[in-house]
Amino acid sequence: MNKINYQKELDKIIEKNLADNKTPSLLLHVCCAPCSSYCLEYLSRYFNITVYYYNPNISEKEEYEYRLSEEKRLVSLMSFENPVKVIEGKYNPEEFFKAVKGFENEPEGGKRCENCFRLRLEASAKFAKEKKFDFFTTTLTISPLKNADKLNSIGVQLAEKHGVKWLYSDFKKREGYKRSIILSKEYSLYRQNYCGCVFSKRAVSANNI
């Protein structure tokens, strides 16, 4: 089975939209401002973007709200070719703990993370369908620590389930992650050292001992 080149798949969609003189609507699930910086800079040239901040995995409310405020600040400061706005999803950490129940002690990148991805992407797919977005996707593929194959596979499954188009991505490609670091410095963004959940925070603390 040939491995899918997600960047090339994204290129095809962009090229077709340009040829058809279309600027589709995109619901972009965002985990944090640093990860979204490059994605917004890149995608806003081709899509009308709504940032969907849905992250019940961020267990501490103060951390959750700070990351959300940084996302809003970034969007207010950046210049875009097409409109970008921010919508906050429902914040209920219990949804996350329910989704990962039984996998609390899994290593980072394992089944717990997969269930977390699915939780956040399913909410995004439902919202995208309800509000009639042309596409939905996530900034999560920009992280070198996140599995793009797994994220795109989940995205495709949920797209089929809910009847909305998934936008393939691997935002690490073409120096996307490096560009996000540059933009984070440019806008003085808060860069956290863990994904947000108590389990990843514990793992980072253990590694720093």
Side-chain angles (χ1 to χ4, degrees):
M1 182 176 177
N2 293 329
K3 181 178 172 63
I4 297 173
N5 185 315
Y6 302 111
Q7 181 61 57
K8 285 187 177 179
E9 293 301 315
L10 175 53
D11 288 342
K12 289 177 186 176
I13 292 171
I14 289 173
E15 288 167 8
K16 185 177 188 307
N17 290 332
L18 289 173
D20 294 341
N21 198 29
K22 290 182 179 178
T23 307
S25 58
L26 170 66
L27 186 74
L28 179 65
H29 168 261
V30 164
C31 55
C32 62
C35 287
S36 74
S37 59
Y38 164 73
C39 301
L40 290 171
E41 179 183 66
Y42 170 40
L43 294 173
S44 65
R45 287 175 274 172
Y46 311 109
F47 298 90
N48 292 320
I49 299 174
T50 295
V51 165
Y52 187 56
Y53 186 83
Y54 173 72
N55 298 295
N57 58 304
I58 305 176
S59 312
E60 297 173 0
K61 190 171 184 181
E62 185 178 1
E63 178 77 13
Y64 170 90
E65 291 179 343
Y66 188 39
R67 294 191 194 189
L68 174 58
S69 69
E70 283 289 271
E71 182 63 36
K72 290 179 177 178
R73 182 172 71 85
L74 175 66
V75 170
S76 72
L77 293 175
M78 290 185 76
S79 297
F80 304 112
E81 291 187 32
N82 291 298
V84 175
K85 63 180 180 178
V86 180
I87 289 180
E88 181 185 4
K90 180 181 177 184
Y91 179 59
N92 182 2
E94 286 306 312
E95 292 179 345
F96 166 73
F97 289 116
K98 182 179 178 182
V100 303
K101 186 176 177 59
F103 300 99
E104 293 87 348
N105 295 318
E106 282 273 307
E108 287 294 291
K111 184 66 176 176
R112 184 185 69 243
C113 293
E114 183 176 339
N115 285 6
C116 178
F117 298 157
R118 188 173 294 277
L119 170 68
R120 290 189 279 171
L121 291 182
E122 179 129 43
S124 303
K126 288 179 178 178
F127 190 85
K129 176 64 175 180
E130 177 188 346
K131 301 299 181 182
K132 296 180 171 57
F133 282 86
D134 295 311
F135 294 92
F136 80 105
T137 195
T138 180
T139 60
L140 287 167
T141 64
I142 199 171
S143 171
L145 302 176
K146 301 291 190 292
N147 187 316
D149 287 328
K150 188 172 292 183
L151 284 160
N152 280 283
S153 176
I154 293 171
V156 168
Q157 292 169 24
L158 295 174
E160 293 176 353
K161 177 179 177 181
H162 295 287
V164 61
K165 293 179 182 177
W166 169 255
L167 191 70
Y168 284 107
S169 76
D170 188 354
F171 295 119
K172 293 182 287 293
K173 301 294 187 182
R174 297 179 183 167
E175 306 294 319
Y177 178 68
K178 291 182 180 179
R179 178 61 180 161
S180 75
I181 294 174
I182 293 170
L183 288 168
S184 294
K185 290 179 180 177
E186 182 179 331
Y187 291 100
S188 301
L189 299 176
Y190 163 60
R191 290 184 66 86
Q192 63 283 344
N193 63 352
Y194 69 107
C195 80
C197 77
V198 294
F199 309 110
S200 64
K201 187 175 184 179
R202 185 189 305 161
V204 168
S205 298
N207 290 334
N208 290 335
I209 293 176

